[in-house]
Amino acid sequence: REIKMRKLDSTKVRPEQLLRIEDHDFALRPGFGGSPIPVGIDVQVESIDSISEVDMDFTMTLYLRHYWKDERLSFRSNKNKSMTFDGRLIKKIWVPDVFFVHSKRSFIHDTTVENVMLRVYPDGNVLFSLRITVSAMCFMDFSRFPLDTQNCSLELESYAYNEDDLMLYWKHGNKSLSTDEHISLSQFFIEEFSASSGLAFYSSTGWYNRLFINFALRRHIFFFVLQSYFPAMLMVMLSWVSFWIDRRAVPARVSLGITTVLTMSTIMTGVSASMPQVSYIKAVDVYLWISFLFVFLSVIEYAAVNYLTTIEERKQLKKRGKASGMYSIDAVQAMAFDGCFHDTDVDMDLPAFSDRCEENETRAHAASVSNVDTTRIKRKRSLKGNVGRMILQNNHVIDTYSRIIFPSVYIVFNLFYWGLYI
Amino acid sequence: SHIYKKNHDVTKTWKGKTEQLLRVDDHDFTMRPAFGGPAIPVGVDVQVESLDSISEVDMDFTMTLYLRHYWKDERLSFPSTTNKSMTFDGRLVKKIWVPDVFFVHSKRSFIHDTTTDNIMLRVFPDGHVLYSMRITVTAMCNMDFSRFPLDSQTCSLELESFTSHHVSLMLYWKNGNESLKTDEKISLSQFLIQKFHTTSRLAFYSSTGWYNRLYINFTLHRHIFFFLLQTYFPATLMVMLSWVSFWIDRRAVPARVSLGITTVLTMSTIITGVNASMPRVSYIKAVDIYLWVSFVFVFLSVLEYAAVNYLTTVQEWKEKKRRERFPCMCGIPHSKTMVLDGNYSESDANSLAGYTRNQMVAEEEKQEKMVVHLAMINESNSSRKRGLKGHVGLRIIQNTHAIDKYSRLIFPGTYIFFNLIYWSVFS
């Protein structure tokens, strides 16, 4: 007996002999022809590797453990301790064929050897553990992106054996699912892991037990606030700067408006690049398009201002044409087109324009201080003054209103948006 | 060793192995059932689990499906009292004959193998076999993009036996059109899956004969909303923005030019963005038509302003020549160069504002004198102005503003008309 015991513990006894592998038919499940064999499942999630919005899937690495009883594998032992065998032995015994429903790619890690553990207890209980990485589908709803929460689940099922042959169940109920402490994602907050089970029906093959690993992911919004919302907000605010610039500075206001439109367009293209092409509008789309609308409207507003200025100018010139005398151009209009400020009214005979604004101003100051100023002042007060004031008042009205209306409407929109989605 | 007769546990009563039960050792897996006899009918049943992706650039689609074969092999029949089928481990498949179905026009495919090969083998006592596997296959689909993104694509997955032609193996859909089932949740983000249906046909290979081929056909309608938001809307807005230029005073040269040229730049960016995710086909797509016509509109608005600007300069020259016929006491040459920094230089003042005098240095005093002189001239001028140059001036205002005025109506009108035609043709 002592010799036998020593032989049992030594490597001279081959596992095949110990477990009677030669007689073991791996094609037949334990209890073949009889009642279904219960197989307990235990999962430890090692990590969630990635969540892909474009492919609508997630990648998870987990330890998957099966527990079942196969009396063909029982062996005699005094100490009632289990024996651990090399993973390559599983090719010769029956194992449950659990697969991941809706998985796209999966593999059992095989460095340095196949990550498979087989542990057999003397009474025939078997513990079979694998380390697997699986990419599975997760249907995502982006209508509240990036303020959304996604619910994903990994589903386990036996491929061949329906509920008459194999009964899959969570070994410890809800506690069968455990996770590493450091499990975390950069973009998401993992809300909860839960285990559930159900039955699935296939018309050609019957009912199957299905186990679910459910988890909920809440997206961290900080990245999108920094990447999309802030730039969009800043662009809208920048477009409001145009209302405070003098309406006579045409190139300035036009290029300010058009460049903010261009930047908004670039921001919008950038967001859509990393997103799946869904057929509904997302929360971030709503924000970006309304901001784009604001920026667009600021350009239209200046076109209106400019057009009205031109009309006034024409009226004024017609008026002046009838009253003889010098044609004088109101500095308000006259300076607009070269973008230089003119303090003085420009008489047509008095070229106060020049290539450079500084020269212009010095010349204006030098030349016109004594003479033109008085005449200008007089005339301003008399005729052009009224017209000028009228023009100033008219267009500044649109600008003045815009300075208040645009920001307040945008703030109201922001209150609505964030109140609705958060 | 107990014998539990109640639950009829075969692993206990049957000391032998499956191989003995199914007589696998005598089974020659290289020979099909009824070898030498009539063609063996193999029924096929498919359940589509998901359509993983459709790629326009590669012109293919990826599908995951459960593929089930049904046939009868009398060599595998076994005695049974209960007439129930027996499910065997997938590894047994290597030892018996199975049909060699493959996917024609597939690029990549694999049978899932986690945790074990996703294969099921179920044998009925009379020798009927059900053989099921879970496969992901990427197959070619010829796509026609001439109506992209308002298009529908019809793709099909084709099953055929690789070795056995119609004389030895007859492949057919087990339940006719009901053989094809889909999961309820099957959906794609960009497409609406219209219908799945099955057909079968014979395919001829000149070297090997006629083969049965089964088709899984489905039609995909593209959701246009994404492209409306991403491409059509920005293009329309850019064209509208280019029309703003007609309302800005024509004297604001830098403003109108930069507006025009920036809208051209944005249109160009939109066009490049669309083409990045598209295959390089040799025909024009629907979205290309829209974008290029919009681009032409934006381009024409820039040309329109160039014309307006040029005509203004021409008028200016004419004015200068007319003025030179009359003596001028000031002797100051009135330069008429139009400065490229955006100032009009009609140095003799006209009804239009914004004049610049070039190369006038240290002329302040002269200017004041000029004031006096020109006052006289201006009066005569003014009368003439009212008479002639006034008319010319007014005509100038009218002339260029005419082009602008017409443009304000023509451009939007033509663009709306184009839109009506486009959407009625393609929708």
Side-chain angles (χ1 to χ4, degrees), chain B residues 29-257:
Chain B
F29 60 73
T30 58
M31 289 199 340
R32 66 170 179 90
F35 191 78
I40 173 172
V42 175
V44 172
D45 189 318
V46 166
Q47 180 168 336
V48 179
E49 191 182 52
S50 66
L51 263 172
D52 298 330
S53 68
I54 318 271
S55 166
E56 281 89 16
V57 181
D58 300 323
M59 285 227 228
D60 63 28
F61 66 94
T62 305
M63 185 192 273
T64 302
L65 57 134
Y66 297 90
L67 179 62
R68 303 179 189 113
H69 311 69
Y70 302 80
W71 73 96
K72 180 164 179 179
D73 191 345
E74 287 184 356
R75 298 171 290 179
L76 296 172
S77 60
F78 57 93
S80 163
T81 45
T82 53
N83 217 26
K84 262 179 61 179
S85 65
M86 299 178 89
T87 306
F88 298 99
D89 189 276
R91 287 167 280 183
L92 204 60
V93 163
K94 292 183 183 58
K95 299 189 179 177
I96 64 169
W97 178 88
V98 288
D100 54 348
V101 169
F102 81 110
F103 299 96
V104 195
H105 299 125
S106 69
K107 296 185 178 182
R108 276 177 308 283
S109 55
F110 59 94
I111 300 175
H112 289 260
D113 60 359
T114 309
T115 56
T116 53
D117 276 344
N118 291 181
I119 290 178
M120 169 172 83
L121 187 67
R122 194 175 281 184
V123 184
F124 291 82
D126 59 354
H128 273 107
V129 185
L130 161 56
Y131 172 47
S132 163
M133 38 189 177
R134 190 167 86 105
I135 300 172
T136 292
V137 57
T138 302
M140 241 172 61
C141 175
N142 237 345
M143 302 187 183
D144 175 28
F145 295 114
S146 50
R147 294 174 65 100
F148 178 90
L150 303 124
D151 58 343
S152 290
Q153 303 296 345
T154 306
C155 293
S156 68
L157 187 63
E158 306 168 29
L159 292 89
E160 195 176 290
S161 163
F162 195 76
T163 56
S164 316
H165 56 300
H166 75 296
V167 166
S168 2
L169 194 147
M170 207 182 70
L171 216 53
Y172 68 101
W173 287 110
K174 182 133 183 74
N175 299 318
N177 215 20
E178 311 295 315
S179 317
L180 186 55
K181 284 182 281 307
T182 58
D183 269 4
E184 326 75 45
K185 302 185 291 180
I186 198 171
S187 70
L188 287 162
S189 52
Q190 207 193 124
F191 292 89
L192 173 70
I193 303 171
Q194 239 194 347
K195 52 176 186 174
F196 272 94
H197 69 281
T198 60
T199 49
S200 71
R201 251 183 288 179
L202 284 166
F204 180 69
Y205 294 81
S206 51
S207 28
T208 41
W210 291 90
Y211 287 77
N212 284 112
R213 188 179 290 186
L214 303 179
Y215 296 82
I216 300 172
N217 308 301
F218 54 96
T219 312
L220 303 163
H221 276 309
R222 198 183 302 270
H223 288 305
I224 192 185
F225 184 79
F226 174 78
F227 293 93
L228 273 180
L229 218 59
Q230 182 81 347
T231 311
Y232 286 96
F233 251 24
T236 310
L237 287 178
M238 283 303 119
V239 175
M240 289 189 198
L241 215 58
S242 70
W243 300 338
V244 165
S245 153
F246 306 136
W247 297 83
I248 293 176
D249 199 297
R250 65 180 178 80
R251 292 164 286 176
V253 183
R256 285 186 73 163
V257 168

Side-chain angles (χ1 to χ4, degrees), chain A residues 58 60 62 100 134 136 152-156 211-213 215:
Chain A
F58 66 94
M60 185 191 271
L62 56 133
F100 299 98
V134 55
C152 293
S153 70
L154 188 62
E155 306 168 29
L156 291 89
L211 303 179
F212 300 85
I213 300 173
F215 55 97

Side-chain angles (χ1 to χ4, degrees), chain A residues 153-197:
Chain A
S153 70
L154 188 62
E155 306 168 29
L156 291 89
E157 195 176 292
S158 163
Y159 193 79
Y161 300 99
N162 56 19
E163 60 165 1
D164 297 329
D165 290 316
L166 192 148
M167 216 181 64
L168 216 54
Y169 68 101
W170 286 111
K171 183 129 184 78
H172 307 289
N174 214 21
K175 301 203 193 72
S176 317
L177 190 54
S178 55
T179 60
D180 270 4
E181 320 79 44
H182 341 279
I183 198 170
S184 72
L185 288 162
S186 54
Q187 207 190 126
F188 292 88
F189 173 67
I190 304 172
E191 260 181 7
E192 40 134 348
F193 270 94
S194 69
S196 58
S197 66

